[in-house]
Amino acid sequence: MKSVTQETKRIWDLPTRIFHWLLVGAFILVWLSQGDDRYLDIHVFAGYLILGLFLFRIGWGVFGSYYACFNRFACGWRTVWHYLTTLLTPQRQYFIGHNPIGGWAIFILLGLGLLVTLTGLLTLGGEERHGPLAGLISFAWGDIWHECHEILAWLMLGLVGIHISGVLVESFLHQENLIKAMITGNKVTSVDTTSVSNHSLLAISLILIVLISSGSYFRGYFTQTPEHPYLPFIGPPLPDNTTWREVCGECHLAYHPTLLPARSWQRMLNEQHQHFEEDLDLDAETLAELRQFASDNAAETHLTEPAWQIEQTTPLNQAPLRITETAYWQEQHEEIPKQIWQQPLVKSKSHCNACHLDAEQGTFEDAAMRLPKNIDSSQLSTKPH
């Protein structure tokens, strides 16, 4: 009987392997950073990286090496069904490259991944006013796309779980380490095939692009100073008014009009002689200027995400005089322990700039939140906006 010769063959080229493990890292990063506004910039970076990797894989699936090309593992559902029904029988088929179900998983993963990143961009443009779609989508639609983004992300997580399970099952049934093969690129096989080219130059280029892009994206963290901290997401400057800043900033932070509905500001100015136990004693001209600025830039204008949220969650029959009385503010801060507000660097609930680096500007970007150094972040549960 003729013996079967086992030889080591390179099946997965270096660009394919780098793509795979960069995608694994980006996927882990995107899940670790989701749900916490303070890490939004990391989440967005991981999303951009995933999108770039998927676009690369689509190109490599057309022009890449033998086993990386789509036409090597594209097949119909009958082939997939036959593979599945014979998987646990002696008649099961062995594929040195992607098996039929693995090939389908790649196509579904690419399609689903593109939808996840697209809805992420729509969410970023709508809710955060950032990214290539900034300002093209309303906050309301941004909120809808956010829900779609989360649903698709969970579906993708489920698909990844199925993929990992399939790898483990396939490794057991065929007694080969598929994870190791995706690291080294090699398989020991009796199949008559030729090792693929490693395409090292392309692989090095791919790594350099990722490193340069990462450095460019996060460069602000390396150049920031205590006086000028880095704010990764800064929205367009809000309308400003010198009189507003002078009058309101005389006793406290000059809260931007976007943080309350117009009816709240009108009520506040109507009661200027009893302004939280103070008499503002404003002349008619100053009062008229403040009324106009407040009316033109109140929460109803939806100039920022907090403005939209406050307008949406404040009943029309209510005109709160304090930002801390709004349902949105209370929801965002409900899990902050009482002792946090008593910290020397926080002082009170009205001291917004203790944690919000852009409080003076009034934008209150998610990624502009920083906890004072003496506060343990484990005490907090920061909700996404």
Side-chain angles (χ1 to χ4, degrees):
M1 182 176 178
K2 187 177 179 180
S3 61
V4 178
T5 303
Q6 298 280 327
E7 296 183 35
T8 300
K9 302 286 186 177
R10 183 190 298 121
I11 304 302
W12 307 121
D13 57 65
L14 194 52
T16 299
R17 285 177 278 150
I18 289 174
F19 156 80
H20 183 276
W21 294 113
L22 281 176
L23 184 62
V24 170
F27 193 77
I28 293 173
L29 189 61
V30 84
W31 274 98
L32 290 178
S33 59
Q34 63 88 28
D36 193 324
D37 295 336
R38 291 169 294 170
Y39 306 123
L40 179 63
D41 57 327
I42 297 175
H43 186 78
V44 171
F45 170 76
Y48 279 133
L49 179 56
I50 289 174
L51 176 59
L53 289 171
F54 278 147
L55 294 177
F56 165 79
R57 186 62 183 92
I58 291 172
W60 198 235
V62 177
F63 303 106
S65 60
Y66 187 75
Y67 290 105
C69 280
F70 294 147
N71 59 13
R72 284 298 306 160
F73 51 84
C75 61
W77 68 269
R78 293 181 185 275
T79 303
V80 174
W81 180 250
H82 180 264
Y83 175 79
L84 286 174
T85 54
T86 60
L87 186 60
L88 300 179
T89 70
Q91 289 76 39
R92 61 176 171 267
Q93 296 173 283
Y94 173 74
F95 292 84
I96 191 170
H98 292 298
N99 61 52
I101 192 67
W104 269 41
I106 289 175
F107 289 121
I108 296 173
L109 185 64
L110 286 173
L112 191 57
L114 289 174
L115 287 176
V116 171
T117 53
L118 174 60
T119 53
L121 288 173
L122 290 167
T123 301
L124 186 66
E127 286 192 345
E128 307 298 336
R129 291 294 192 264
H130 293 291
L133 303 179
L136 300 179
I137 302 158
S138 67
F139 285 112
W141 273 103
D143 192 50
I144 293 172
W145 287 120
H146 192 172
E147 294 296 325
C148 296
H149 181 66
E150 290 187 346
I151 293 171
L152 290 169
W154 280 107
L155 289 175
M156 190 171 178
L157 181 63
L159 181 61
V160 169
I162 294 173
H163 170 66
I164 294 173
S165 300
V167 167
L168 296 176
V169 170
E170 185 83 3
S171 295
F172 174 76
L173 291 177
H174 295 291
Q175 294 298 296
E176 64 176 353
N177 192 333
L178 294 182
I179 296 176
K180 181 181 178 181
M182 190 52 73
I183 295 174
T184 65
N186 300 326
K187 283 188 176 185
V188 178
T189 179
S190 59
V191 176
D192 184 17
T193 187
T194 303
S195 292
V196 300
S197 173
N198 216 21
H199 296 283
S200 300
L201 184 59
L202 177 61
I204 293 172
S205 300
L206 180 60
I207 293 175
L208 286 176
I209 289 172
V210 172
L211 290 176
I212 293 172
S213 300
S214 303
S216 176
Y217 187 90
F218 292 109
R219 68 185 183 279
Y221 286 107
F222 304 106
T223 58
Q224 67 177 343
T225 63
E227 296 77 21
H228 301 284
Y230 172 57
L231 302 180
F233 293 135
I234 295 294
L238 296 177
D240 202 1
N241 181 278
T242 303
T243 303
W244 181 276
R245 285 197 175 275
E246 289 177 352
V247 173
C248 300
E250 188 174 343
C251 300
H252 53 72
L253 176 70
Y255 305 108
H256 198 272
T258 53
L259 297 172
L260 282 176
R263 57 187 179 276
S264 293
W265 295 116
Q266 296 306 321
R267 176 188 169 191
M268 198 178 302
L269 292 172
N270 288 340
E271 301 172 0
Q272 62 146 323
H273 297 297
Q274 296 177 341
H275 183 74
F276 302 107
E277 301 181 359
E278 295 285 341
D279 185 354
L280 298 181
D281 194 25
L282 301 174
D283 59 69
E285 183 179 351
T286 300
L287 190 60
E289 183 179 354
L290 295 180
R291 285 185 191 279
Q292 189 64 50
F293 182 66
S295 177
D296 291 344
N297 300 283
E300 290 89 342
T301 60
H302 299 174
L303 292 176
T304 65
E305 183 187 1
W308 177 73
Q309 295 279 11
I310 289 170
E311 191 271 333
Q312 291 290 304
T313 56
T314 304
L316 292 175
N317 61 350
Q318 294 181 13
L321 295 180
R322 299 177 187 270
I323 299 167
T324 54
E325 293 175 350
T326 62
Y328 174 67
W329 188 96
Q330 292 172 359
E331 180 187 1
Q332 293 300 307
H333 299 81
E334 65 181 354
E335 296 186 23
I336 297 180
K338 183 179 179 180
Q339 60 268 28
I340 296 295
W341 301 113
Q342 299 170 347
Q343 292 281 345
L345 293 177
V346 178
K347 300 177 183 177
S348 71
K349 295 180 180 180
S350 62
H351 193 206
C352 303
N353 42 3
C355 299
H356 296 273
L357 300 183
D358 58 345
E360 291 281 353
Q361 294 92 323
T363 47
F364 290 90
E365 294 284 356
D366 295 337
M369 287 189 290
R370 297 289 188 276
L371 294 177
K373 292 182 179 180
N374 64 332
I375 294 180
D376 181 4
S377 61
S378 64
Q379 301 177 62
L380 305 180
S381 177
T382 307
K383 291 187 175 184
H385 288 182

